[in-house]
C-alpha cells in the first residue's frame, strides 16, 4: 500500500490535513485515502478501524517562491536549484467513515474520535473501497459507474432507495441523459417498469446498442409512444399515442379551451355530459356537435355558444387530442419502458400531455388497480419545463401532478426522477422531495445554491467540486449511496440519443451538396 | 493583539503632532549639500560588475537567534545558522550549525548582548564548515555573510569578561577560525549590510579635509572623534578660536556613509576600500591594556583561554569597508571584505586607525566579490538571492521557537538538574 505522509496540525472526526512526504508520490484531488483509527464504541470498548477519506484539496508551497518574489528573483532562485527539501505539499481530507458490522447488519459509520496527528495516511486499497461501496442483492445494486480515478472500483446505487425520488442535474451536454439512460438500463435488467417523459427523444433508441443494431436484451423492452403532433419517428417499437378528450378532466378541458365564465362553463359541462352519454370515448367534434344541437334561441346565448365552439375548434387545431385513447395499462408492463416521445411538440402541448398522462398513472396507482401493482419509475427529462413553480411560468397541467407524485408517490409506488439543466427553475417543493441527487457539472452559482438548499446532505465542499467535474463525472449524494461519492458514468449498453449534432460531418455534407449543385448548373448552361 | 480597549490613542496622537511639528520647524531651514560631496567623488570607482563567469563557489551565510528567560536569572539562548553553498551550474547544498548557551544572567546589558554573540558563533561555525567542504572539493570559496564582518561594538568592558568569559572566547575563536583559514587558503570573506548607518568613511574623509585645510591644532580632535556627533561634543571643549576654525566642518545634519555616497554619486561603482582599525582603538586603551584588565579581573582558570582567544583574534587580517552601488539609482550597500584579499594579510591588531588602501592596490579580488554580488542582485529589496534563501531557511521565528524548541529545552534542562521556573510574565501570557 502506498503511504503518502502523516497527519499534521489539528484534526477532527470530519476533516484532517496531511503532509506529503515525497513530492514524487502524491495523491490527486478526489483520491481516496485510508487511515487507521482507534474508535471508541458506545459500550466503551475500543476497536481499530480502517477509516476511508477523500482528498478534497491539495496545495503546495515553497518559502522561496512566495507571492512577494519578483519575476527576476524567481529565475535567480531557480539558478540555485529548486530546493525540494523546502517544498511542502499538503492535502486536506474529508473523512467518509468506516464499515461497521453488527448482528449481521452492515452500515457506514462516521468516526467519533479525531485521527491522531502523526498517523500515516495511505492510498485507499481497492478492496476497502469495494467493501465500503458494495450493496447487498436485496438493495438492488444498479451499476451506474466507477469511482473517479479508480476504474477498477464499481459504484452501485441502490435501486431500492430510488423510492425516495431522484434528481439528475447538470449543465447541458455534461451527461445527464447518458447517466439517466444508464440507470434505466440497470433498472430494466432488474425487472423495473419505467415511464419516461422524453422531451427530446433521447431514450427512443434504447432498443439498439451503441452501434445501431438491435440490442439482445433491450430490443423488446422499450416502446415509444408518439403523439400525433410530435416529430416524425418511425421504428418497429414506436406506437401512436392517442389522447382522447374524454380522458381529460372537465377542469383541464376548461383551462385548455380558456373557458372561464360561469354560463360558458355550464354550457360546456352540459354538452360534455350529453356526448359522454352517447359515447364514453367522445371527441371534441362530439362536444361541439352537442353544443350546436342545444343552440339557444336568444342572440346573446348564440354568441356565447359560438365563442365556446370557436375555442374548442382552436384547441382541436393544436393537435393535442386524437381519436382513440391510450391504454394506460400498457405503461405497467413488467420489465418494460414506455417512452413518451414529445420531441418537436410545443411546450404548451407537452405540458398538457405530460399532465394528463401522469395524472392517469398516479390515479391508477392511487386506486390500486390490480393490474398496476408493480411500482413504476417515472423519469422526467427537461423537468424544469413541467415542474417549474407557477410564478416561474411552469407547466399549468404537469406541475401539480409532479408535486403530488414527489410528495406522495413513494406511498403508492410511483418513483420520480427529474432530469434538468436548470435546477433553479424547478419548484423547490419537488426538488426538496428528491432525496437522491446525481449532480454532474454545474457552474451557475444560483443552480448550485438551489441544489444545496434542496438537500441537507449536500455540503459546501461538494458544492465546490461541481464546476470541476468533467463530462460524464457525477457526484452522487443521498440514501442510494453509502456515502457521497464521485463517479464516472459507466459506458451505456444502449444507444444514447442525447448527442451533440455532428456539425463537422453535416457541414461537410452541405459543402459537397452545394459543389455538386454548382457542377450541375455549369453543365446545364 | 490585545482585546482590551485602548485608552491611549488621544495622548499618542497629541504627542505625535508635537514631535512632527518640531521636525517641520527644523526642515524650514534650507538644506545644504554635504561638505564631503567632492571627497566622496574623489574616492569613487565606477564599476559595472561582470556577471558572466564566476569561478568561486559562493557560500552565503545567515542565522537567527531566540531566547528563553526564566525566573531567578535563568537565560537560554539558541542560535542557528545556515551556509548555502552554490557551485556555479549546480544545485545548492547546505551546511547547518546550532549553538545553545545556558547561563544565569542578572545584568540587563548582558541579556541584550549575549544573543548576538550566540548567533555570530553559529554563523561563523557554519561558514567555516562550508568553506572547508568547498576546499575539500578542490574549489575556491567566497564566503558571504549577512551584515558586517566588523565588531562595531567591541566587548572591551571588563564586566563582559567576568560574566561570560567562555562565550567570548568561543566568539573570538569562531571568527578567527574562518579568517585565518581564509588567509591561509587565500579565499575572500565578505559581508553585505543593506541598512548600515555608520560614519567610518565620513570621518576618514573629514579628517583628510581638515588636514588639507591646515587646521593642525584641531586635527587631532578630528582624528580621535569616532563620529560627527562625537566631534561636536569635542568641539564644545575647544578654545573659542579653535572651535571657530572647526565649525565649517561640523555639519548641522551630517550624513552617514550610505546616505553620503547616495547623494554624492550618480553611477554604478564602489568607494575606495577603507581599512578599519579594531574599534577598541576608539575606546580608551589598546589590546595589551585590555589583556591586563582581563587578567586582573578573572580567576586564573578562564583567563588564559580568553586572552589567547583575543590574541588569536587580533592576529587575523583586518576588515576593509567599501560602499557599492549596483545600479546608478540604487541605494548603496556597505560591503565588508577581510583585508587579506586586498593585500593586507597582516594582523589586525597592528592597525591603529582607519585608512584607505593604497592608491595602487589591486582591486581585482574586491571586484570579483562585486561580480558575485552583481550577479545575484535583482533590486534594492531582493538584493542578494542566495543570502535571501539563507535568511529564509535560518530565520528563527518566535512562534516556531516557542512551540517546537522551547518545550524540549525546558524538558531537557530540567532533566539535567536545572531549576527552570517560568517568569511571572510568561505565566501571565499563557492565557492571552
Amino acid at each position: 500500500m502506498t503511504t503518502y505522509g502523516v497527519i499534521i496540525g489539528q484534526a477532527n472526526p470530519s476533516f484532517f490535513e496531511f503532509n506529503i512526504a515525497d513530492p514524487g508520490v502524491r495523491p490527486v484531488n478526489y483520491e481516496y485515502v485510508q487511515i487507521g483509527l482507534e474508535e471508541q464504541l458506545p459500550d466503551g470498548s475500543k476497536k481499530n478501524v480502517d477509516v476511508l477519506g477523500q482528498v478534497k484539496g491539495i496545495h503546495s508551497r515553497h518559502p522561496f517562491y512566495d507571492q512577494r518574489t519578483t519575476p527576476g528573483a524567481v529565475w535567480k532562485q531557480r539558478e540555485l536549484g529548486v530546493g525540494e527539501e523546502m517544498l511542502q505539499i499538503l492535502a486536506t481530507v474529508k473523512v467518509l467513515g468506516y464499515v461497521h458490522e453488527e448482528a449481521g447488519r452492515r452500515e457506514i459509520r462516521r468516526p467519533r474520535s479525531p485521527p491522531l496527528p502523526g498517523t500515516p495516511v495511505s492510498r485507499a486499497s481497492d478492496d476497502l473501497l469495494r467493501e465500503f461501496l458494495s450493496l447487498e442483492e436485496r438493495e438492488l445494486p444498479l451499476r451506474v459507474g466507477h469511482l473517479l480515478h479508480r476504474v477498477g472500483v464499481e459504484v452501485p446505487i441502490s435501486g431500492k432507495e430510488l423510492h425516495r425520488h431522484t434528481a439528475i442535474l447538470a449543465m447541458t451536454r455534461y451527461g445527464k441523459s447518458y447517466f439517466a439512460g444508464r440507470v434505466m438500463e440497470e433498472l430494466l435488467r432488474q425487472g423495473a417498469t419505467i415511464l419516461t417523459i422524453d422531451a427530446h427523444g433521447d431514450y427512443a433508441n434504447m432498443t439498439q446498442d451503441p452501434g445501431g443494431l438491435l440490442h439482445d436484451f433491450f430490443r423488446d423492452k422499450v416502446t415509444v409512444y408518439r403523439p400525433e403532433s410530435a416529430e416524425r419517428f418511425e421504428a418497429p417499437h414506436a406506437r401512436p399515442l392517442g389522447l382522447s378528450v374524454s380522458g381529460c378532466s372537465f377542469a383541464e378541458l376548461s383551462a385548455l379551451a380558456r373557458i372561464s365564465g360561469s354560463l360558458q362553463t355550464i354550457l360546456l359541462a352540459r354538452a360534455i355530459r350529453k356526448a359522454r352519454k352517447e359515447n364514453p370515448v367522445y371527441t371534441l367534434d362530439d362536444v361541439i356537435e352537442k353544443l350546436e344541437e342545444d343552440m339557444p334561441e336568444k342572440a346573446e346565448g348564440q354568441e356565447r355558444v359560438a365563442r365556446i365552439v370557436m375555442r374548442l375548434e382552436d384547441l382541436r387545431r393544436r393537435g393535442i387530442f386524437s381519436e382513440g385513447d391510450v391504454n394506460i395499462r400498457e405503461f405497467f408492463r413488467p420489465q418494460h419502458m414506455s417512452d413518451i416521445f414529445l420531441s418537436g411538440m410545443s411546450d404548451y402541448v407537452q405540458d398538457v400531455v405530460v399532465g394528463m398522462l401522469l395524472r392517469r398513472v398516479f390515479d391508477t396507482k392511487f386506486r390500486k388497480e390490480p393490474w398496476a401493482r408493480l411500482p413504476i419509475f417515472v423519469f422526467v427529462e427537461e423537468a424544469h419545463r413541467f415542474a417549474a413553480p407557477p410564478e416561474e411560468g411552469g407547466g399549468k397541467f404537469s406541475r401539480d401532478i409532479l408535486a403530488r407524485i414527489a410528495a406522495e408517490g413513494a406511498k403508492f409506488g410511483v418513483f420520480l426522477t427529474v432530469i434538468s439543466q436548470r435546477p433553479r427553475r424547478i419548484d423547490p417543493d419537488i426538488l426538496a422531495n428528491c432525496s437522491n441527487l446525481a449532480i454532474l457539472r454545474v457552474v451557475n452559482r444560483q443552480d448550485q445554491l438551489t441544489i444545496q438548499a434542496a438537500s441537507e446532505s449536500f455540503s459546501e465542499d461538494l458544492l465546490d467540486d461541481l464546476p470541476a467535474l468533467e463530462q460524464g463525472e457525477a457526484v452522487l449524494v443521498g440514501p442510494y449511496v453509502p456515502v457521497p461519492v464521485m463517479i464516472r458514468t459507466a459506458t451505456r449498453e444502449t444507444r444514447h440519443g442525447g448527442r451533440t449534432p455532428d456539425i463537422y460531418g453535416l457541414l461537410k455534407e452541405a459543402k459537397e451538396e452545394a459543389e455538386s449543385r454548382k457542377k450541375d448548373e455549369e453543365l446545364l448552361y | 493583539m490585545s482585546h482590551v480597549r485602548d485608552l491611549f490613542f488621544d495622548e499618542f496622537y497629541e504627542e505625535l503632532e508635537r514631535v512632527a511639528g518640531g521636525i517641520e520647524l527644523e526642515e524650514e531651514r534650507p538644506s545644504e549639500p554635504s561638505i564631503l560631496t567632492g571627497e566622496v567623488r574623489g574616492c569613487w570607482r565606477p564599476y559595472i560588475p561582470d556577471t558572466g563567469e564566476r569561478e568561486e563557489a559562493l557560500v552565503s551565510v545567515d542565522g537567527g537567534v531566540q531566547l528563553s528567560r526564566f525566573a531567578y536569572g535563568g537565560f537560554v539562548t539558541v542560535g542557528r545558522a545556515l551556509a548555502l553553498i552554490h557551485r556555479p551550474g549546480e544545485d545548492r547544498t547546505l551546511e547547518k550549525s546550532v549553538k545553545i548557551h545556558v547561563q544565569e544572567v542578572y545584568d540587563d546589558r548582558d541579556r541584550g548582548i549575549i544573543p548576538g554573540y550566540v548567533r555570530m558563533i553559529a554563523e561563523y561555525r557554519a561558514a567555516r564548515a562550508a568553506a572547508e567542504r568547498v576546499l575539500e572539493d578542490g574549489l575556491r570559496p567566497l564566503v558571504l555573510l549577512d551584515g558586517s564582518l566588523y565588531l562595531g561594538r567591541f566587548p572591551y568592558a571588563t564586566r563582559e569578561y567576568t560574566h561570560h568569559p567562555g562565550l567570548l572566547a568561543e566568539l573570538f575563536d569562531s571568527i578567527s577560525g574562518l579568517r585565518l583559514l581564509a588567509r591561509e587558503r587565500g579565499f575572500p570573506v565578505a559581508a553585505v549590510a543593506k541598512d548600515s548607518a555608520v560614519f567610518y568613511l565620513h570621518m576618514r574623509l573629514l579628517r583628510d579635509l581638515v588636514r588639507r585645510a591646515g587646521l593642525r591644532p584641531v586635527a587631532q580632535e578630528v582624528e580621535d572623534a569616532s563620529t560627527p556627533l562625537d566631534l561636536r561634543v569635542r568641539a564644545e571643549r575647544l578654545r573659542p578660536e579653535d572651535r571657530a576654525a572647526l565649525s565649517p566642518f561640523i555639519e548641522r545634519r551630517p550624513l552617514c556613509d550610505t546616505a553620503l555616497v547616495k547623494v554624492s554619486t550618480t553611477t554604478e561603482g564602489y568607494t575606495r576600500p577603507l581599512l578599519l582599525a579594531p574599534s577598541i582603538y576608539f575606546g580608551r586603551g589598546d589590546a595589551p591594556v585590555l589583556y591586563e584588565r582581563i587578567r586582573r579581573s578573572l580567576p586564573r582558570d578562564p583567563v588564559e583561554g580568553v586572552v589567547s582567544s583575543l590574541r588569536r583574534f587580533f592576529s587575523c587580517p583586518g576588515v576593509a569597508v567599501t560602499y557599492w552601488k549596483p545600479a546608478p539609482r540604487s541605494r548603496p550597500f556597505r560591503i565588508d571584505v577581510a583585508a587579506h584579499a586586498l593585500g593586507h594579510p597582516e594582523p589586525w591588531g597592528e592597525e591603529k586607525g582607519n585608512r584607505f588602501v593604497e592608491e595602487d592596490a589591486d582591486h581585482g579580488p574586491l571586484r570579483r566579490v562585486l561580480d558575485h554580488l552583481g550577479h545575484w542582485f535583482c533590486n534594492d529589496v531582493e538584493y542578494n538571492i542566495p543570502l535571501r534563501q539563507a535568511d529564509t531557511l535560518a530565520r528563527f521565528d518566535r512562534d516556531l521557537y516557542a512551540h517546537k524548541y522551547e518545550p524540549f529545552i525546558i524538558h531537557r534542562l530540567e532533566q539535567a538538574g536545572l531549576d527552570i521556573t517560568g517568569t511571572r510574565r510568561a505565566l501571565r501570557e499563557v492565557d492571552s
Side-chain angles (χ1 to χ4, degrees):
Chain A
M1 203 188 310
T2 308
T3 300
Y4 290 128
V6 293
I7 296 175
I8 56 161
Q10 282 190 357
N12 64 50
S14 304
F15 273 95
F16 63 81
E17 208 174 33
F18 70 97
N19 199 346
I20 287 150
D22 177 0
V25 184
R26 57 177 187 257
V28 292
N29 225 1
Y30 308 130
E31 175 60 286
Y32 290 89
V33 293
Q34 70 180 84
I35 56 165
L37 179 80
E38 191 182 61
E39 176 73 332
Q40 189 163 327
L41 302 176
D43 63 3
S45 63
K46 287 180 177 168
K47 183 187 170 191
N48 288 320
V49 292
D50 286 328
V51 174
L52 186 72
Q54 188 179 24
V55 175
K56 299 299 282 188
I58 186 159
H59 57 273
S60 59
R61 63 183 180 212
H62 196 295
F64 299 156
Y65 303 98
D66 62 4
Q67 282 93 336
R68 290 172 301 172
T69 309
T70 59
V74 166
W75 286 110
K76 299 266 184 201
Q77 305 263 27
R78 292 274 313 168
E79 201 179 325
L80 290 169
V82 175
E84 280 196 354
E85 73 281 359
M86 296 301 291
L87 180 65
Q88 223 183 354
I89 305 178
L90 300 170
T92 310
V93 172
K94 182 183 182 183
V95 174
L96 299 176
Y98 63 90
V99 179
H100 179 75
E101 289 195 51
E102 199 173 282
R105 259 194 75 199
R106 189 178 159 280
E107 61 178 351
I108 304 299
R109 277 198 181 168
R110 284 289 196 88
R112 293 179 182 187
S113 320
L116 299 181
T119 304
V121 181
S122 308
R123 182 175 194 263
S125 68
D126 285 359
D127 287 344
L128 179 70
L129 286 165
R130 283 193 198 101
E131 189 191 351
F132 214 83
L133 298 166
S134 66
L135 295 172
E136 290 168 17
E137 271 310 301
R138 59 191 165 88
E139 286 287 328
L140 294 174
L142 310 178
R143 294 164 301 123
V144 293
H146 61 76
L147 269 186
L148 206 60
H149 306 305
R150 292 290 183 100
V151 181
V153 181
E154 276 188 350
V155 180
I157 58 170
S158 166
K160 193 177 142 193
E161 292 295 337
L162 291 182
H163 75 271
R164 295 178 198 251
H165 308 310
T166 305
I168 301 172
L169 309 168
M171 291 163 65
T172 308
R173 301 290 158 210
Y174 274 89
K176 299 182 298 292
S177 313
Y178 194 89
F179 177 82
R182 177 67 192 170
V183 176
M184 293 170 197
E185 286 172 2
E186 286 290 297
L187 278 172
L188 281 172
R189 283 202 176 272
Q190 296 278 4
T193 300
I194 301 172
L195 176 69
T196 307
I197 304 301
D198 191 358
H200 298 304
D202 289 347
Y203 311 99
N205 291 311
M206 278 183 63
T207 50
Q208 297 170 15
D209 65 17
L213 299 173
L214 278 180
H215 192 282
D216 287 346
F217 179 79
F218 295 102
R219 61 193 307 157
D220 57 351
K221 303 286 187 294
V222 179
T223 303
V224 173
Y225 293 90
R226 179 184 160 273
E228 202 177 312
S229 57
E231 189 184 288
R232 192 182 184 83
F233 181 80
E234 285 172 2
H237 63 293
R239 308 265 183 281
L241 177 72
L243 263 184
S244 158
V245 74
S246 56
C248 191
S249 72
F250 177 71
E252 281 171 347
L253 186 62
S254 306
L256 276 169
R258 285 171 290 139
I259 291 165
S260 52
S262 55
L263 285 174
Q264 284 185 346
T265 310
I266 291 167
L267 289 172
L268 179 64
R270 192 189 297 154
I272 288 173
R273 264 199 312 275
K274 283 188 175 176
R276 188 186 293 132
K277 202 171 176 182
E278 279 183 17
N279 182 3
V281 184
Y282 55 88
T283 65
L284 273 177
D285 285 337
D286 295 337
V287 178
I288 291 167
E289 194 184 309
K290 294 300 159 203
L291 278 166
E292 287 171 344
E293 274 176 19
D294 291 343
M295 187 64 78
E297 288 177 3
K298 287 185 181 172
E300 193 185 341
Q302 286 175 359
E303 264 178 46
R304 194 172 289 126
V305 169
R307 273 202 295 275
I308 299 172
V309 170
M310 194 177 72
R311 285 184 177 165
L312 291 178
E313 279 177 345
D314 186 35
L315 187 60
R316 185 176 54 191
R317 277 194 292 276
R318 293 192 196 188
I320 298 171
F321 300 110
S322 55
E323 284 194 23
D325 206 2
V326 65
N327 181 2
I328 212 79
R329 216 168 159 154
E330 286 182 26
F331 295 165
F332 287 90
R333 285 166 65 188
Q335 201 167 41
H336 200 86
M337 179 169 118
S338 305
D339 181 71
I340 310 299
F341 183 91
L342 302 175
S343 185
M345 292 168 76
S346 72
D347 287 0
Y348 176 75
V349 177
Q350 283 191 4
D351 175 38
V352 176
V353 172
V354 170
M356 287 176 65
L357 286 178
L358 290 182
R359 188 171 53 75
R360 290 195 209 178
V361 166
F362 185 78
D363 286 350
T364 303
K365 293 294 290 180
F366 184 74
R367 287 196 308 270
K368 296 191 174 151
E369 295 286 359
W371 44 266
R373 63 182 177 79
L374 293 172
I376 186 163
F377 293 84
V378 177
F379 286 77
V380 182
E381 181 65 82
E382 297 284 325
H384 53 275
R385 287 194 195 171
F386 311 110
E391 64 273 17
E392 293 270 336
K396 286 192 180 105
F397 298 92
S398 48
R399 185 257 161 213
D400 287 353
I401 186 63
L402 277 169
R404 190 159 182 212
I405 291 172
E408 301 177 52
K411 277 189 285 186
F412 303 105
V414 185
F415 308 146
L416 181 68
T417 296
V418 292
I419 305 159
S420 173
Q421 68 264 31
R422 297 222 178 92
R424 63 184 183 278
R425 289 202 56 203
I426 297 181
D427 192 313
D429 286 345
I430 295 174
L431 208 54
N433 276 311
C434 296
S435 303
N436 300 307
L437 296 176
I439 316 294
L440 295 95
R441 186 180 163 102
V442 173
V443 171
N444 183 288
R445 186 70 188 154
Q446 214 182 328
D447 281 337
Q448 291 178 359
L449 294 174
T450 306
I451 293 165
Q452 195 183 25
S455 169
E456 287 168 3
S457 51
F458 211 92
S459 57
E460 190 71 33
D461 65 290
L462 284 172
L463 212 60
D464 292 341
D465 297 335
L466 299 182
L469 294 173
E470 301 290 343
Q471 192 181 43
E473 294 173 354
V475 177
L476 308 183
V477 181
Y480 69 166
V481 280
V483 288
V485 68
M486 296 174 86
I487 65 149
R488 169 160 276 282
T489 310
T491 307
R492 284 264 298 271
E493 289 186 74
T494 57
R495 193 170 171 198
H496 174 50
R499 288 182 193 159
T500 310
D502 175 17
I503 305 280
Y504 174 77
L506 289 170
L507 291 187
K508 199 174 161 196
E509 223 173 88
K511 213 161 71 178
E512 283 165 6
E513 195 180 320
E515 275 167 15
S516 150
R517 279 191 189 182
K518 198 178 166 189
K519 275 182 193 164
D520 290 348
E521 281 169 12
E522 280 168 2
L523 282 173
L524 273 171
Y525 300 103
Chain B
M1 200 171 82
S2 166
H3 295 286
V4 179
R5 190 177 162 196
D6 189 66
L7 297 176
F8 291 89
F9 190 76
D10 289 344
E11 289 75 10
F12 156 77
Y13 187 74
E14 207 174 286
E15 174 66 357
L16 179 64
E17 280 303 301
R18 190 189 65 74
V19 171
I23 292 169
E24 280 165 2
L25 279 176
E26 275 195 37
E27 286 299 312
E28 279 169 13
R29 284 181 267 171
S31 60
E32 309 119 17
S34 171
I35 54 169
L36 298 172
T37 303
E39 301 296 312
V40 174
R41 287 177 185 156
C43 73
W44 187 244
R45 304 287 179 266
Y47 180 65
I48 298 172
D50 176 2
T51 56
E53 287 294 304
R54 285 159 287 114
E55 285 171 19
E56 296 85 357
L58 184 65
V59 175
S60 310
V61 188
D62 204 354
V65 69
Q66 279 298 339
L67 53 91
S68 304
R69 284 181 64 177
F70 302 107
Y72 319 123
F75 193 67
V76 176
T77 316
V78 182
R80 62 182 197 177
L82 180 138
L84 187 145
I85 306 166
H86 180 244
R87 300 168 177 88
E90 290 179 30
D91 281 5
R92 88 278 188 289
T93 53
L94 307 175
E95 192 68 50
K96 292 175 281 183
S97 163
V98 172
K99 161 77 185 158
I100 300 176
H101 179 72
V102 183
Q103 189 188 334
E104 280 172 10
V105 178
Y106 303 101
D107 191 312
D108 274 345
R109 288 171 295 180
D110 290 346
R111 276 191 280 268
I113 291 164
I114 289 171
Y117 294 163
V118 171
R119 175 184 165 145
M120 280 169 72
I121 292 168
E123 285 177 344
Y124 274 93
R125 282 180 181 171
R128 183 182 165 141
E132 282 173 342
R133 183 130 69 92
V134 173
L135 290 166
E136 277 167 21
D137 293 345
L139 293 169
R140 187 167 179 262
L142 187 171
V143 176
L144 183 65
L145 289 107
D146 186 40
S148 169
L149 295 181
Y150 187 70
L151 292 178
R153 195 206 61 80
F154 188 85
Y156 53 79
T158 320
R159 169 186 56 81
E160 283 210 54
Y161 292 89
T162 56
H163 287 181
H164 38 260
L167 185 66
L168 284 173
E170 259 189 279
L171 173 70
F172 293 128
D173 285 345
S174 60
I175 296 173
S176 312
L178 178 68
R179 292 218 190 136
L180 292 174
L181 180 71
R183 179 171 66 188
E184 187 189 317
R185 303 296 295 270
F187 63 83
V189 176
V192 188
K194 55 187 174 301
D195 292 313
S196 173
V198 296
F199 290 90
Y200 305 150
L201 178 68
H202 181 114
M203 291 308 292
R204 180 66 267 157
L205 295 174
L206 190 64
R207 283 167 201 137
D208 293 348
L209 194 63
V210 169
R211 192 175 295 125
R212 280 209 303 280
L215 299 175
R216 283 182 180 278
V218 296
Q220 193 54 48
E221 289 298 335
V222 181
E223 199 64 47
D224 290 345
S226 58
T227 67
L229 303 174
D230 185 21
L231 180 62
R232 191 177 293 171
V233 174
R234 286 169 186 269
E236 292 300 316
R237 294 193 216 114
L238 292 175
R239 291 177 305 168
E241 58 271 29
D242 289 342
R243 197 186 314 143
L246 191 58
S247 68
F249 301 98
I250 298 177
E251 293 179 283
R252 185 177 61 81
R253 186 172 290 167
L255 298 175
C256 69
D257 292 352
T258 44
L260 186 60
V261 172
K262 169 99 176 111
V263 300
S264 308
T265 61
T266 53
T267 62
E268 302 99 327
Y270 61 95
T271 57
R272 185 176 164 191
L274 181 69
L275 290 165
L276 301 178
S279 63
I280 190 167
Y281 293 105
F282 296 99
R284 290 192 179 84
D286 57 14
V289 172
L290 178 66
Y291 302 153
E292 277 315 303
R293 275 169 37 207
I294 294 169
R295 282 205 171 92
R296 280 202 304 273
S297 315
L298 259 66
R300 183 184 292 271
D301 185 28
V303 76
E304 285 314 318
V306 175
V307 170
S308 123
S309 296
L310 264 173
R311 281 188 196 284
R312 210 160 154 246
F313 175 71
F314 285 120
S315 72
C316 294
V319 174
V321 63
T322 182
Y323 294 93
W324 170 62
K325 269 172 68 177
R329 309 189 79 173
S330 64
R331 283 159 54 183
F333 291 91
R334 173 184 159 188
I335 312 294
D336 288 0
V337 183
H340 68 273
L342 299 170
H344 287 274
E346 64 277 4
W348 196 13
E350 292 168 10
E351 291 289 341
K352 303 295 180 199
N354 297 353
R355 62 185 173 94
F356 283 115
V357 294
E358 297 72 19
E359 193 65 67
D360 58 351
D362 177 15
H363 286 203
L366 173 62
R367 288 183 173 186
R368 278 203 292 280
V369 172
L370 298 181
D371 290 345
H372 276 270
L373 296 177
H375 176 76
W376 294 110
F377 175 83
C378 293
N379 51 58
D380 273 357
V381 179
E382 294 158 310
Y383 60 92
N384 191 285
I385 299 304
L387 272 183
R388 183 190 160 134
Q389 283 201 3
D391 168 63
T392 307
L393 297 171
R395 188 185 300 155
F396 217 169
D397 179 64
R398 180 73 208 167
D399 270 1
L400 172 77
Y401 174 75
H403 290 103
K404 306 281 183 200
Y405 285 72
E406 200 170 42
F408 285 101
I409 291 168
I410 291 170
H411 178 69
R412 188 65 188 92
L413 292 183
E414 272 179 341
Q415 263 188 346
L418 229 64
D419 178 12
I420 302 285
T421 308
T423 57
R424 288 195 172 92
R425 174 186 289 276
L427 292 171
R428 188 183 69 188
E429 286 176 357
V430 166
D431 290 334
S432 63

